[in-house]
Amino acid sequence: MDGLSRRNALKAGGVLGALGALTMVTPARAEPWTWSPQGSVAGTGEGADPLTVWDPEADELVAGLLDRGEVPRVNDLLRTWTRNGQPLPTGLPPELRDFMEYARQLPPWADQGRLATAVEFNKKRGLYLGVLYGLASGMMSTVIPKEARAVYYSKGGHDLKDRISKTAKLGYDIGTANAYAPDGEMVVTCVKTRLVHAAVRHLLPQSPHWVHSAEEEVPISQNDMMVTWHSLPTTVMKHLTAWKVPIPAAESEAFLHSWQICAHMLGIRDEYIPNSWAEANSQAAQVLDPILAPTPEGAQLADRLLRLGVNLDLTVLSKPVLGAFTRFLLGDKIADGLSIPREPVWGPLLDVSWGPFIAVREGLLPVVPLAPDAYWLFDEFLRQAALIYLAELRMPISIELPQMNRDMSQPPR
């Protein structure tokens, strides 16, 4: 009740807040939770609604670190931990060391053969993945209301470029040849991100700005993590399929497997991780598709994302061009909600010519059925859009536990 009382004191104040505390609970779904754990990598589970589940192992641990003022020292030590197989730094609090040793272990169902096949898929489809992670998944995150608010009001909302670079690191690391190998970085990225999520869960309920805007008591539930997960691999595969990119079944399954492991390493329970694309699409239809909606916070984040290309190429990656591609990927409803204007040249060009361009690029059509200049423009767009996020990775990126929420008196950078 202490947490509820504090939230309601912030939100309503006085007697009204105290009365409201009795009814302020996790928001109910429009429809009951029906996805079965039989469709998960675990094949079984309790079947609890993931809206009511968080990450208690990490949450209690990180809350203690924050309350005891140990986070600055922990961040200093963790900056030196950069490779999956590297020993943990000496001097970490014992309980944190024990948790991280446990959390860094790959799940017993990890398949090295599939991971090797995923490397081949990432090599072949790198340009597509770059633009889809950035513009489909990245822009979708701005219309996931809970995620948009959590980003906007947390420390990451102050320096959006820094926050974007850390998100880009996840997509980059999972696509490397040694992602989960001892000399790779994906395990490190996932474990550190899991700790950051726990810190945000502890800090955001202390922000009156977040409290006034949010529906939930505590951010980043298992459901929220699943929603974000679906905005990445499920959304990417949905677009690749719609574009009719030929993908062998083994490569498709391997790509999914690499992201299943990622979900596990981020702290998502195995009973919520889909075991196939069919199950992923079924789950996304319940947790992702119905909740997409613009928010004032998300619109500001989207505007910042659309300005990322200005330093690379003022023509191919101008804000109107990125906006047109966002509208093409996510549809008119989302684009209108984010106040992205219609682009009179690129919009129709994408609608008519993108499909034939992909067909030619994949060798499915023997000749170019559109103007060569348009073909070059699309190809250059793919290359430059992928560079947007790679550009954010030029400097070493350190994922660190936040110690405070965003200072709302300061404009975002």
Side-chain angles (χ1 to χ4, degrees), residues 328-403:
F328 174 69
L329 289 175
L330 301 183
D332 291 335
K333 181 178 179 181
I334 289 177
D336 290 343
L338 293 173
S339 300
I340 297 174
R342 295 177 184 270
E343 211 285 320
V345 176
W346 268 77
L349 187 63
L350 285 165
D351 290 337
V352 172
S353 302
W354 186 261
F357 159 70
I358 294 293
V360 171
R361 202 172 190 279
E362 293 297 320
L364 302 178
L365 286 177
V367 295
V368 181
L370 63 158
D373 287 348
Y375 184 101
W376 175 88
L377 197 62
F378 282 164
D379 207 54
E380 187 65 11
F381 174 81
L382 276 176
R383 298 178 191 282
Q384 293 286 353
L387 284 175
I388 290 180
Y389 292 90
L390 292 178
E392 304 302 322
L393 299 169
R394 288 174 183 167
M395 299 296 291
I397 296 170
S398 179
I399 298 174
E400 301 187 358
L401 278 69
Q403 302 172 64

Side-chain angles (χ1 to χ4, degrees), residues 58-70:
D59 293 346
E60 183 177 354
L61 169 67
V62 174
L65 296 176
L66 284 163
D67 292 343
R68 294 191 298 271
E70 295 184 87

Side-chain angles (χ1 to χ4, degrees), residues 21-273:
L22 297 176
T23 57
M24 289 295 295
V25 296
T26 302
R29 293 184 185 276
E31 300 291 339
W33 171 248
T34 58
W35 192 79
S36 171
Q38 292 180 350
S40 70
V41 295
T44 187
E46 299 175 2
D49 188 330
L51 275 174
T52 66
V53 185
W54 288 266
D55 188 0
E57 296 170 305
D59 293 346
E60 183 177 354
L61 169 67
V62 174
L65 296 176
L66 284 163
D67 292 343
R68 294 191 298 271
E70 295 184 87
V71 168
R73 181 171 66 90
V74 165
N75 280 336
D76 287 342
L77 291 170
L78 289 184
R79 287 189 196 108
T80 67
W81 187 52
T82 60
R83 300 289 177 182
N84 300 336
Q86 184 181 346
L88 293 176
T90 302
L92 288 173
E95 67 276 18
L96 176 60
R97 170 179 289 275
D98 290 346
F99 171 79
M100 291 179 67
E101 289 290 6
Y102 154 76
R104 72 192 293 188
Q105 303 302 314
L106 295 182
W109 42 265
D111 185 325
Q112 294 300 324
R114 287 188 178 185
L115 289 178
T117 303
V119 171
E120 295 306 311
F121 172 80
N122 289 321
K123 285 180 181 177
K124 291 185 201 175
R125 307 301 176 196
L127 286 180
Y128 297 148
L129 294 176
V131 71
L132 287 172
Y133 285 148
L135 289 178
S137 303
M139 291 302 294
M140 182 176 282
S141 71
T142 70
V143 288
I144 297 173
K146 289 185 181 181
E147 182 173 349
R149 294 188 186 106
V151 170
Y152 188 79
Y153 293 112
S154 66
K155 185 181 178 183
H158 174 65
D159 189 344
L160 294 177
K161 193 174 181 67
D162 178 70
R163 204 280 183 172
I164 290 164
S165 71
K166 290 171 181 174
T167 303
K169 180 171 172 57
L170 184 74
Y172 175 79
D173 288 346
I174 199 170
T176 58
N178 58 351
Y180 294 105
D183 61 337
E185 298 185 18
M186 187 61 182
V187 171
V188 173
T189 295
C190 286
V191 172
K192 288 184 178 181
T193 301
R194 185 176 179 181
L195 294 173
V196 169
H197 286 167
V200 171
R201 288 189 198 99
H202 185 67
L203 292 170
L204 266 185
Q206 302 173 36
S207 163
H209 303 282
W210 180 81
V211 165
H212 278 281
S213 68
E215 300 175 359
E216 70 272 27
E217 302 292 343
V218 181
I220 319 181
S221 66
Q222 291 278 313
N223 188 86
D224 298 331
M225 289 192 285
M226 290 156 54
V227 167
T228 299
W229 186 87
H230 284 297
S231 75
L232 288 154
T234 309
T235 297
V236 165
M237 187 55 67
K238 173 184 175 182
H239 285 295
L240 291 177
T241 301
W243 295 350
K244 300 181 180 178
V245 176
I247 302 172
E251 291 184 8
S252 175
E253 293 171 3
F255 176 65
L256 174 61
H257 188 65
S258 68
W259 278 101
Q260 289 168 331
I261 295 174
C262 172
H264 175 93
M265 303 303 289
L266 288 172
I268 297 178
R269 294 187 179 184
D270 286 0
E271 70 172 279
Y272 298 131
I273 302 173

